[in-house]
Amino acid sequence: MLNSVRTSAAMFRSGWATALMLSVSLSVFSVLCVGRFGWYVVLAGAMFFFAASVVILAGDAVKRSIYIFFFIQFTASYFLQLSLYVTIISLIFFPVVLNAKTRLSELISVPQYKSLILLLSGWIVSLVYVTITNYGESKYHAVRFDIYFLLGFTVAYEVFFLLKLKLLDMERLIFYIAASGIVFICFVLANYSAKGHVNYIFKERFGYICGINPNMISSYLDLALPCAFFTALYEKRSIVKKVLMYVLSSIYACVILMTATRGSIPGIAIMAAYCIWCKRSKKLLFGVLSGSVIGYFAFGRNIIGRMLHPNFNDMLSNMGRVEMLRSAFKVLKDNYFFFGIGMNNFSLAKFEYGSGFLTGFDKGRTMSSHNIFAEIWLGWGMPGLLGWIVFNAAVLICLVRGNKGGGAIYAVVFAVTAFSMHGLVDSALVSYSLMFVYFSLIGVALFAASDKTANTGAAYLKGQK
């Protein structure tokens, strides 16, 4: 007994020493940056580093601190641009978290490492290729967006390990993602109010007049809607939570229709069709059909109008997508369909292969190919594209094969599917805040696919078969 107490005390002192040393080191580093950031940023950074070190070593407070990070990240990062900073800070303290836990033997297995290696090989090959062909000159974005994409995978595996260590709970994380959609919508509505455009909320594509891309709003809700709906569908313990999640699901579906984004419709249709097929209920079929009719007349006529009777802006958008894909093909061909030119570098490279129309269409030189698969192919070449497809497909297949009814697992499967289908006509790779949510779901998927408890749904339903 005495030996165990001494061992625990030694580990505690070692953990404190590690945390304090890291805190002091980071504070000193921030002082070196005082000329760039200002004294108040340095002071805030030093206080945060010290407080986080203390919190990490405070037992159950670890879980609370991690949930705070994720909750802030999901709900406000798109507007407050906290994604990158939260990720970097969490990575700094992640080794300290591991040091505070003793079950490191559980972390030996890394899921889907083969497809991840294939994906990373595309990045390395493309980086070498661009460096050689440009003779060391940086005429594109260098590796900035490559780093963002790499950090996304880091987030996925960080979530996986945190779930494995039981510092995160799969059900609660899915709930936070589901609830974050309403906060996201509230931020958009606040922009309408601040700019005096409240009367335009139902008159144009939701978010457009406020400078918020409707496609980004719908892409975010592609992830939040399945999380809310399947949380409600499989909730057995709290009727209040069940009703709340159904209400949020209805709101998300209506807002997606208000954005008039055509890329989100297949995801909603597949989710509705699956529920009808799975339940085989006439009441559910009637409810879905009634909801579809009401949604169409209330919010969805803009989508049908954009398809059947496009206006000048819609025609211009369609022409732009075709032109950008045509230019993407030229870029791929010029690079032998194998080598990439770096993530998001097509936004600049397309002017070397496109027409004068592109120059006038994208004066800010920011538009992508509007296809997430084409963007990965352009960025990291054929190995990167194959790695991305295999990685996501393998995770989903493992989930579908092993699932015994867990609502969280259905939420992940349909969220990833809807987001990927939307990715055929839009790319969100450069939005790190949005991709953070996606990669968090991938982390949940990695855990659920490799954990027997998660696969039986017991982690979510607490014993429900």
Side-chain angles (χ1 to χ4, degrees), residues 4 49 60 117 149 176 234 268 297 336-337 342 346 351 400 430:
S4 63
F49 293 143
D60 291 338
I117 291 174
F149 200 45
Y176 279 163
Y234 282 84
I268 296 178
F297 284 104
Y336 312 105
F337 294 100
F346 173 72
F351 294 99
V400 172
V430 298

Side-chain angles (χ1 to χ4, degrees), residues 111 159-160 163-164 170 442-451 454-455 459:
V159 169
F160 165 75
L163 288 168
K164 199 77 172 177
M170 183 169 63
I442 291 296
V444 174
L446 291 171
F447 169 73
S450 61
D451 187 86
N455 281 342

Side-chain angles (χ1 to χ4, degrees), residues 316-330:
L316 190 63
S317 174
N318 295 336
M319 290 173 60
R321 291 171 189 266
V322 172
E323 182 67 19
M324 283 185 283
L325 286 175
R326 186 176 68 85
S327 299
F329 179 82
K330 292 182 179 181

Side-chain angles (χ1 to χ4, degrees), residues 115-127 338 380 383-384:
S115 55
L116 182 65
I117 291 174
L118 177 62
L119 189 81
L120 295 179
S121 69
W123 167 56
I124 295 173
V125 170
S126 298
L127 181 62
F338 184 84
W380 287 2

